[in-house]
Amino acid sequence: MGKQAVEWLAAAATDPQACKREWDHGRGTALLAAGRYWDVLSVPDRLGLLALDILWREPLKVPGPTLVDVTAGRVGFFLPPDPVSEWVGCGVRHVGRGSWVAVPPPYRPAGRLEWLVPPDGTGALHAAGPLERALRRATGTLAVLAPVSAEPADW
């Protein structure tokens, strides 16, 4: 699966060979065009990690490729391109056609970027419906937890 995942991911680059060289001998990340093979839904890390945990609970269903930027505190879910979709939420960003995404190779982290679920090379992505449901559920959970973890109010 490793070589197949590399080929699938590098196909989104303007120059797949240069992309693979950058992964192996450069800084370890490559800028790949969104909107052709996949879009990315980027969300704050707490929301994204909780949503991914919810998605893992589906029996016999492995979530699609999911990337974390530990420095920016963001989780990116790779899903099918959809130029007309509108994702709404606090801190939610839909990255599609005309945008670029920094991506490490599927076989190791690179600096601040790491695959939580690396691509498997088959082209499997997150389905929008289950991802939306997981994000809604995670948002509800975080809304309940927020008052518990909030600072005490000054009286």
Side-chain angles (χ1 to χ4, degrees), residues 47-113:
L47 176 62
L49 294 172
L50 186 53
L52 183 60
D53 184 57
I54 291 166
L55 290 167
W56 273 111
R57 294 178 192 166
E58 283 288 320
L60 304 175
K61 179 89 170 113
V62 175
T66 308
L67 189 63
V68 64
D69 182 329
V70 295
T71 303
R74 310 282 304 171
V75 172
F77 297 93
F78 283 58
L79 60 157
D82 185 355
V84 297
S85 72
E86 291 186 29
W87 291 83
V88 179
C90 185
V92 174
R93 299 180 198 140
H94 179 237
V95 181
R97 187 170 298 281
S99 299
W100 297 84
V101 179
V103 178
Y107 48 85
R108 67 173 167 77
R112 62 193 236 177
L113 299 171

Side-chain angles (χ1 to χ4, degrees), residues 51 54-55 58 87 127-140:
I54 291 166
L55 290 167
E58 283 288 320
W87 291 83
L131 177 57
E132 181 180 8
R133 286 189 294 278
L135 287 167
R136 285 179 189 268
R137 189 167 164 203
T139 298

Side-chain angles (χ1 to χ4, degrees), residues 6-24 30-32 36-37:
V6 168
E7 296 300 326
W8 177 82
L9 199 54
T14 53
D15 182 346
Q17 294 305 323
C19 171
K20 291 185 273 187
R21 279 193 303 276
E22 185 64 27
W23 282 338
D24 289 338
L31 284 178
L32 302 182
R36 184 172 168 203
Y37 297 114

